[in-house]
Amino acid sequence: MGKLTRFGVSVNSDLLVKFDSVLKNQNYSTRSKAIEDFMRQTIVNCELSNDSSQVVGSINIIYDHHRRELLGKLTDIQHDFQAIILSSHHIHLGHHNCFEAIIVKGEKKSIEELASKIKSTKGVKNSTLRLIPL
Ligand code: NI
């Protein structure tokens, strides 16, 4: 980890007032910590814009387990992508719905392909993909 470096920043005063208000709402105690977090997030976003980036993350879905053949289809898709799936966690939500978190690691492009195949399967009601670069 590098040493701390001080640098001066000039910004519009109205922008700074709004920024400080947001920092207060997000419980930041110093501007330095907030700016560090925003810098890291900018770097992460840049890394995530590269299809060949190595990433880890999760695909989270809610689906109707009464829909015929859906479970088989989801299982078939996951077997096709077993090289990038580390684990999956299934939770029964009430009588109709199931929640599944599929933990993935690998090339971003492959993970997005898996996520889009799952998302577009009939009976999948909601789907999110969250990725963090390695
Ligand atoms: Ni279930």
Side-chain angles (χ1 to χ4, degrees), residues 50-63:
N50 182 349
D51 278 347
S52 60
S53 288
Q54 291 295 308
V55 298
V56 64
S58 67
I59 300 165
N60 304 303
I61 56 172
I62 290 178
Y63 60 89

Side-chain angles (χ1 to χ4, degrees), residues 27-108:
N27 297 314
Y28 280 104
S29 55
T30 65
R31 284 183 190 144
S32 293
K33 171 64 177 143
I35 290 169
E36 260 190 7
D37 283 358
F38 297 141
M39 289 169 82
R40 284 197 187 94
Q41 190 58 51
T42 301
I43 292 166
V44 162
N45 291 343
C46 184
E47 287 170 354
L48 284 178
S49 68
N50 182 349
D51 278 347
S52 60
S53 288
Q54 291 295 308
V55 298
V56 64
S58 67
I59 300 165
N60 304 303
I61 56 172
I62 290 178
Y63 60 89
D64 179 353
H65 84 133
H66 290 308
R67 189 175 271 272
R68 291 180 67 190
E69 298 176 2
L70 175 57
L71 276 172
K73 280 180 189 169
L74 290 174
T75 303
D76 285 347
I77 292 168
Q78 291 189 51
H79 275 268
D80 289 343
F81 287 84
Q82 55 89 23
I84 57 170
I85 296 176
L86 298 178
S87 72
S88 66
H89 193 87
H90 183 114
I91 294 168
H92 309 299
L93 293 176
H95 188 64
H96 300 288
N97 294 318
C98 298
F99 170 81
E100 197 162 317
I102 302 157
I103 310 303
V104 289
K105 181 182 171 193
E107 193 181 50
K108 185 193 144 208

